[in-house]
Amino acid sequence: MSPELPIRPGIALTPFQEGDQHHLVLYLNDQQVQENTANIPTPYTHKDADEWLAHVQQMFLERGAHFELAIRHEQHGLIGGIGCFMRTGLEGHRDEIGYWLAAPFRGQGIMPAAVSAYCQWLFSMRPNLARIEAKVYTHNEASCRVLEKNGFQKEGLMRKATKKNDRLIDTWLWAKIR
Ligand SMILES: CC(C)(COP(=O)(O)OP(=O)(O)OC[C@H]1O[C@@H](n2cnc3c(N)ncnc32)[C@H](O)[C@@H]1OP(=O)(O)O)[C@@H](O)C(=O)NCCC(=O)NCCS
């Protein structure tokens, strides 16, 4: 199943696809992405992009649906990404999202709209999902605003929860309940 979730005229959430490598390399070699995310390699190479596309294809085969989605602009192509961990079993009632947007497109309300569409879709796809979480480093106020605008509540401060480049970073836990 390949969702195409419109988030505003000309922009939709769609599966990643062959050919996205160029934009992944272009936009993920970005200081804000590197400072604010946990699992994106630095520097981000063409090989990393190839491995990412292979990974999402493998996940699609295992899950029968795409849960890692590209934010795709009809003129500019891939401009961001959003996804979740797909927790299962004893943890299947909760999941965690992560997202990034390319620098030229920030500050236009695109990510709040993407998070809204994605969470609505995720709750509809997974009837047992009771809560969606997001973890945000305390210095990332723009991401906190994205979650706040989507009805997430700040549930607590996870002190020194994230290790990044040998630094321990305080991290906010946000969550949205179905
Ligand atoms: C964080 C990110 C997703 C925001 O996406 P976006 O589409 O630009 O979000 P918005 O257009 O709503 O703008 C961000 C909001 O934060 C505010 N903001 C931006 N920088 C801010 C700052 N330094 N301090 C306080 N507020 C800030 C903006 O004013 C806006 O709020 P408003 O609409 O109330 O004015 C995007 O900047 C990004 O991808 N950053 C790098 C990767 C990242 O941080 N991912 C999230 C990891 S948890």
Side-chain angles (χ1 to χ4, degrees):
M1 189 186 164
S2 299
E4 165 116 13
L5 306 174
I7 64 168
R8 64 162 58 166
I11 306 181
L13 303 183
T14 76
F16 285 93
Q17 63 194 37
E18 199 50 40
D20 283 340
Q21 288 94 330
H22 173 71
H23 278 181
L24 286 167
V25 173
L26 180 66
Y27 294 138
L28 290 176
N29 284 299
D30 171 271
Q31 195 178 350
Q32 277 196 43
V33 170
Q34 290 162 0
E35 284 175 358
N36 292 308
T37 61
N39 299 316
I40 297 176
T42 308
Y44 195 89
T45 64
H46 202 281
K47 181 168 172 278
D48 293 316
D50 279 339
E51 286 173 3
W52 172 250
L53 294 181
H55 169 74
V56 295
Q57 183 57 23
Q58 182 60 31
M59 291 298 103
F60 171 70
L61 295 175
E62 288 175 17
R63 297 164 176 165
H66 286 282
F67 288 92
E68 293 289 349
L69 297 176
I71 304 172
R72 203 173 294 283
H73 193 292
E74 67 182 6
Q75 285 165 4
H76 303 289
L78 174 81
I79 59 167
I82 185 165
C84 69
F85 283 75
M86 286 300 287
R87 293 190 179 123
T88 55
L90 289 176
E91 301 241 298
H93 64 291
R94 53 196 278 244
D95 213 335
E96 181 183 334
I97 58 168
Y99 45 80
W100 64 271
L101 186 68
F105 303 92
R106 292 179 195 149
Q108 303 167 37
I110 293 174
M111 193 53 82
V115 168
S116 170
Y118 187 79
C119 289
Q120 214 177 329
W121 175 77
L122 196 60
F123 276 134
S124 75
M125 290 292 286
R126 298 177 56 189
N128 295 330
L129 194 62
R131 59 184 263 135
I132 299 176
E133 301 172 357
K135 292 180 185 147
V136 182
Y137 307 158
T138 47
H139 58 248
N140 193 353
E141 294 182 41
S143 186
C144 289
R145 276 296 290 147
V146 167
L147 297 167
E148 201 172 27
K149 286 193 246 183
N150 269 288
F152 279 71
Q153 284 183 26
K154 202 186 247 180
E155 294 191 336
L157 181 64
M158 302 166 67
R159 293 170 297 163
K160 299 191 187 298
T162 308
K163 191 168 185 189
K164 202 163 170 62
N165 303 331
D166 289 331
R167 275 179 56 224
L168 295 176
I169 304 176
D170 292 350
T171 300
W172 292 115
L173 171 64
W174 289 81
K176 182 181 177 74
I177 304 299
R178 180 190 289 277

